[in-house]
């Protein structure tokens, strides 16, 4: 498959040319080409590549159990896979999906002090949580954020290496684009439609079919939604505006809630009262996602299968949560209920 040239290639080349380079962590959204860029870089500049994907190869999470010395880490890696070649000065160690093994970041200080091996880590922006890392090797690593293809990279994919230099020249000289305006405008509109996700761009380059491109982008959006569910609050997650429905009377019905990974709209699910309280708090935090809702929740009421959160003259309805909630709600005394309403 054709590989798209990326600006991260130059960033990695510049990193390699540093005499006292640090291990690096490349962060960025899913599906923007981080892994492919690093693998391509390794093929072009290193004799050996030791690539570990902590999300797909969970057994490698144990390589740090004996401590963070380089010797013990490499020993444990080769015990799991004796075929891996680890040669000082000629080996790139690539730890992928860092968010699945936060302890990996702690080892970067050891690799820097050892100095025999180059190390690159990558992970998604959402998944990397430095609060879970024992020591994130401050001062012994370099963080780089990678993005989807920008307009210039999109033009590179189309084989166009002249438009951006032309644009730069026109801006510098403050001259009009002239006959080139229509062409540049068309190209930019194409970029706005296709976007910067590598798979979508490559599909457009090969097929010029916007329908196929749209299908790929929808798949990526679904992947992102799954990631939100994975890394958000463990008990309940409120999904985005697509899951709200505002009718003509100003009533907003929540079309989707999940609890412990299951759909609350399934009438078979029994949700405890503390989860209903969590729903209210999440609604309050996300009130800006709900059109025209006032600042404060004025009251809460439930009547069995329907639970209504009132925001002034608007209300949010959570349907079919469970009859058990009403029973649990009755167990609270008046003072607790009043506190619940006023939070």
């Amino acid at each position: 498959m054709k590989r798209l040239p990326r600006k991260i290639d130059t960033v990695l080349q510049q990193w390699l040319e540093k005499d006292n380079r640090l291990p690096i962590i490349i962060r960025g959204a899913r599906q923007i080409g981080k892994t492919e860029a690093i693998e391509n870089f390794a093929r072009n500049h290193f004799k050996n590549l030791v690539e570990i994907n902590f999300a797909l190869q969970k057994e490698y999470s144990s390589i740090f159990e004996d401590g963070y010395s380089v010797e013990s880490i490499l020993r444990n890696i080769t015990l799991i896979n004796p075929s891996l070649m680890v040669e000082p000065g000629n080996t790139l160690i690539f730890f992928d999906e860092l968010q699945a093994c936060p302890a990996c970041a702690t080892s970067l200080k050891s690799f820097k002090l050892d100095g025999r091996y180059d190390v690159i880590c990558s992970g998604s922006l959402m998944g990397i949580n430095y609060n879970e890392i024992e020591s994130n090797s401050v001062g012994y690593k370099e963080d780089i954020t990678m993005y989807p293809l920008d307009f210039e990279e999109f033009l590179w994919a189309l084989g166009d290496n002249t438009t951006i230099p032309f644009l730069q020249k026109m801006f510098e000289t403050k001259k009009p684009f002239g006959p080139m305006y229509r062409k540049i405008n068309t190209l930019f509109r194409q970029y706005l439609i296709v976007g910067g996700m590598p798979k979508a761009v490559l599909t457009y380059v090969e097929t010029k079919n916007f329908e196929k491109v749209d299908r790929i982008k929808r798949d990526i959006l679904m992947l992102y939604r799954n990631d939100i569910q994975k890394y958000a609050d463990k008990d309940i997650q409120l999904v985005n505006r697509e899951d709200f429905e505002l009718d003509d009377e100003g009533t907003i019905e929540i079309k989707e809630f999940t609890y412990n990974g299951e759909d609350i709209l399934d009438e078979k699910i029994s949700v405890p009262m503390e989860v209903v309280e969590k729903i209210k708090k999440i609604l309050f935090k996300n009130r800006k996602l709900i059109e025209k809702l006032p600042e404060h929740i004025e009251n809460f009421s439930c009547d069995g299968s329907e639970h209504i959160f009132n925001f002034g003259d608007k209300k949010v309805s959570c349907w079919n949560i469970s009859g058990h909630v009403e029973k649990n709600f009755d167990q609270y005394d008046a003072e607790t209920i009043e506190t619940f309403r006023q939070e």
Side-chain angles (χ1 to χ4, degrees), residues 145-178:
T145 302
M146 184 176 172
Y147 301 94
L149 280 79
D150 62 19
F151 183 45
E152 185 174 16
E153 290 174 302
F154 176 74
L155 294 177
W156 291 349
L158 295 175
D160 183 343
N161 296 308
T162 61
T163 296
I164 294 298
F166 171 79
L167 281 172
Q168 291 173 335
K169 182 179 179 181
M170 293 300 101
F171 276 106
E172 290 170 0
T173 59
K174 298 182 180 179
K175 293 182 178 179
F177 294 164

Side-chain angles (χ1 to χ4, degrees), residues 96-122:
D96 200 3
E97 302 293 351
L98 175 64
Q99 71 276 1
C101 184
C104 177
T106 305
S107 70
L108 299 184
K109 179 178 179 179
S110 298
F111 277 104
K112 169 55 185 171
L113 295 177
D114 181 274
R116 292 176 294 163
Y117 305 95
D118 288 304
V119 179
I120 298 179
C121 304
S122 77

Side-chain angles (χ1 to χ4, degrees), residues 120-139:
I120 298 179
C121 304
S122 77
S124 66
L125 285 170
M126 180 177 293
I128 295 179
N129 183 1
Y130 283 131
N131 292 329
E132 298 178 4
I133 296 174
E134 182 178 341
S135 169
N136 62 21
S137 301
V138 174

Side-chain angles (χ1 to χ4, degrees), residues 51-62 80-81 96:
E51 180 176 359
I52 296 174
N53 185 310
F54 289 114
L56 300 179
Q57 300 168 295
K58 299 184 183 302
E59 64 272 19
Y60 282 97
S61 297
S62 64
I80 295 173
N81 186 354
D96 200 3

